[in-house]
Each structure stands twice: as structure tokens, then as C-alpha cells.
Amino acid sequence: IYSFGKIIDTQLGDDFNYSTVQFFDIETKLPSKNFLRCHRSFIVSIPKIDSFTNEYIEVHKMAISISRSYRAAVLEKLGKFNA
């Protein structure tokens, strides 16, 4: 899920959907055990993560940056997910 200003882009496989729902509203409705906010503009599906480092999450060969403000929470959650 990607936010570009007031437009939200959700990608499910090869399908893209656009809406004007607020990013925060989408984040609060998603199950937190399956989704992770890693940047002010990105929420990723944890089961779809191929790999990650301290700086990036890779989903379907796309590198998504982990922002400094979300880094500690992201790495903690991914560490628990991989355990």
C-alpha cells in the first residue's frame, strides 16, 4: 500500500487500485499481525516480504525504504515474525 499525497495505491498481485481514503484509516483497519508500516508512505504485507535489511524491505523484487522513525519497530516486528 503506497500513499502519494491524498491518493492511496493498493497493489494486489498485478492489480492496482486507487482511492482517496486517508492512509491512517487504512492502517488502523488492517490486521497488525499481517501488515507493517515501514515508511510514512508505505505499508507492506508481512507474508509478502522476500527479504529485509536494516534499511530496506524487498517485496516482489521492489526495495522499499525503512524510514528512521519506523526502523526500530519494523526490525523488532520482523525479528519476531522470523523467529
Side-chain angles (χ1 to χ4, degrees):
I1 302 172
Y2 173 68
S3 170
F4 183 73
K6 294 183 179 182
I7 305 296
I8 305 296
D9 174 14
T10 55
Q11 181 180 356
L12 302 169
D14 292 333
D15 295 330
F16 292 89
N17 297 300
Y18 301 95
S19 68
T20 56
V21 176
Q22 289 193 3
F23 205 56
F24 176 78
D25 291 338
I26 290 177
E27 181 181 18
T28 58
K29 292 180 182 179
L30 293 170
S32 63
K33 69 178 186 172
N34 293 327
F35 290 89
L36 175 67
R37 188 159 185 179
C38 61
H39 190 278
R40 70 180 182 144
S41 299
F42 285 98
I43 297 173
V44 296
S45 170
I46 294 173
K48 300 292 182 182
I49 294 173
D50 298 320
S51 64
F52 66 94
T53 67
N54 289 341
E55 297 179 2
Y56 295 97
I57 293 174
E58 185 177 324
V59 178
H60 299 293
K61 299 183 181 180
M62 179 176 153
I64 300 170
S65 178
I66 301 172
S67 70
R68 287 180 292 180
S69 59
Y70 290 97
R71 185 165 292 142
V74 167
L75 296 176
E76 178 181 347
K77 189 163 187 175
L78 291 178
K80 289 179 182 177
F81 185 78
N82 286 330

